[in-house]
Amino acid sequence: MTTGPQLPQGYVLHAFDRVESTNDEARRLAEQGAAAGAVVVAGEQLKGRGRHGRAWASPPGNLYASLLLRPEGTLAEAAQLSLVASLALAEALIALAPPAADVRVKWPNDVLVRGAKVAGLLLESAAGADERVAWLIIGSGVNIASAPAGTPYPATALRYEGFPPMTPLDLLGRYLGVLDDRLARWRSRGFAAVRPAWLALGSGIGDRVRLRLGREEVAGRFLDVTDQGALLVAQDDDRRRQITAGELLFVDR
Ligand code: BTN
């Protein structure tokens, strides 16, 4: 890849033409003791990973990037970062979007354009014996030039939706600029500081949802996202239940 974009202070770019997975490279850096702010970006991935054990199609032209963080706190708190990062990505896209794009965040980790998935995040982390986070990687895949066919959900790419042409590195610089600001708010005041912005872009609030939590399936109405980043559901048996991002296997509407 050519040399990089303007990144916020303290971020260090590690750019590759091709890797198996940028999350794997970021993990290597984490285990070697790299500081928070290391960012791995690649022109393509040979073994890109999505959530739920799915592959993430990773041809040239799209963004594949992984940011290393070392947040203080527990893994449960760090799970909120999938909401913080998907919000930041959505906000970076809104700044570029044509009027009808309807950019939204889907709990906990997707960005949608006109109802179709344009980006997904994969968070991976390790904790010490005290359950506090040792490192956390936010892997982000954004369909800029192309979207895969045959996905179990509608998928799209920025190019199909009338966004201006952009390189993956251009978009990475914009995304990290917004994310850095959102992370600062989250560090000082928790998810509650980010929640109003998340809710303003949240997709499906008030809709019926089905969630798979391990072997259990929960069906009900998506009521809200709490100050802790949990999804609040009114179950069909009228009980209310909070689901954290860490518990979720699958959400469908
Ligand atoms: C999802 O299933 O929605 C998450 C997709 C995450 C893909 C990104 S691309 C950069 C990073 N490296 C990977 O192997 N996966 C993530």
Side-chain angles (χ1 to χ4, degrees):
M1 291 195 115
T2 50
T3 46
Q6 192 73 25
L7 299 185
Q9 203 178 0
Y11 289 65
V12 176
L13 192 69
H14 300 258
F16 298 87
D17 290 329
R18 187 179 300 112
V19 295
E20 291 205 333
S21 159
T22 55
N23 269 28
D24 291 346
E25 295 302 323
R27 179 189 192 126
R28 239 187 295 281
L29 289 170
E31 289 173 349
Q32 288 164 2
V39 185
V40 176
V41 63
E44 64 182 305
Q45 299 185 119
L46 303 175
K47 287 192 184 164
R49 292 197 298 280
R51 282 163 54 102
H52 319 307
R54 292 186 188 128
W56 184 259
S58 304
N62 296 337
L63 174 63
Y64 313 109
S66 300
L67 171 65
L68 170 63
L69 296 176
R70 296 188 181 276
E72 288 175 7
T74 62
L75 282 178
E77 288 158 352
Q80 297 166 358
L81 288 172
S82 70
L83 282 77
V84 176
S86 51
L87 172 66
L89 180 54
E91 291 176 320
L93 292 178
I94 285 171
L96 300 165
D102 193 27
V103 178
R104 300 206 158 260
V105 284
K106 180 180 170 188
W107 192 93
N109 75 319
D110 291 350
V111 179
L112 310 179
V113 171
R114 293 195 307 124
K117 178 162 169 166
V118 80
L121 270 54
L122 179 67
L123 270 63
E124 294 179 329
S125 57
D130 56 359
E131 289 299 306
R132 302 196 84 76
V133 180
W135 52 258
L136 177 131
I137 290 161
I138 302 176
S140 308
V142 187
N143 298 333
I144 298 176
S146 65
T151 49
Y153 47 80
T156 191
L158 300 179
R159 188 165 69 94
Y160 310 157
E161 301 291 343
F163 281 68
M166 68 189 88
T167 67
L169 289 179
D170 285 341
L171 180 58
L172 179 64
R174 290 169 180 272
Y175 169 35
L176 293 179
V178 182
L179 179 57
D180 190 50
D181 174 72
R182 290 296 183 194
L183 285 172
R185 289 176 204 225
W186 177 81
R187 274 187 207 105
S188 64
R189 290 189 291 126
F191 183 71
V194 179
R195 177 172 168 263
W198 195 96
L199 289 173
L201 295 183
S203 141
I205 300 168
D207 289 358
R208 280 195 58 74
V209 288
R210 283 187 305 122
L211 304 140
R212 202 178 323 135
L213 308 170
R215 285 197 213 137
E216 186 193 5
E217 188 162 299
V218 174
R221 193 163 299 284
F222 176 2
L223 293 181
D224 202 352
V225 170
T226 70
D227 276 351
Q228 285 69 44
L231 188 152
L232 182 65
V233 191
Q235 294 185 161
D236 289 347
D237 62 8
D238 275 345
R239 280 185 302 155
R240 295 198 170 193
R241 179 144 171 193
Q242 290 190 16
I243 315 256
T244 62
E247 286 180 282
L248 181 79
L249 286 180
F250 184 70
V251 60
D252 195 13
R253 299 201 164 93

